[in-house]
Amino acid sequence: MKIRITKGKNKGICGKVVGVYMDGRYDINVTNRKPNQPKQTIVKMTDCEEVR
């Protein structure tokens, strides 16, 4: 599943979900990285939307 972050300091980042945590977070691989940005990040489910 591909998602886009809509809130917070990482707003606008797109990525592919590689893991789901029981407390409502996604572990994602970032696809449109900027310099000095991690390849993976953890984001709350409420701060993102699914992209088709």
Side-chain angles (χ1 to χ4, degrees):
M1 179 170 70
K2 293 185 180 182
I3 60 170
R4 179 184 301 123
I5 300 174
T6 57
K7 295 180 187 174
K9 67 174 185 170
N10 294 327
K11 183 177 179 181
I13 293 176
C14 297
K16 188 170 186 165
V17 175
V18 293
V20 179
Y21 294 99
M22 295 297 289
D23 59 348
R25 294 180 295 160
Y26 287 135
D27 193 5
I28 65 171
N29 282 338
V30 179
T31 54
N32 62 338
R33 285 180 60 220
K34 297 176 182 123
N36 303 325
Q37 209 169 36
K39 292 181 180 179
Q40 291 186 329
T41 188
I42 297 172
V43 64
K44 291 182 183 175
M45 290 182 186
T46 57
D47 293 349
C48 54
E49 65 183 8
E50 187 175 351
V51 177
R52 294 274 169 187

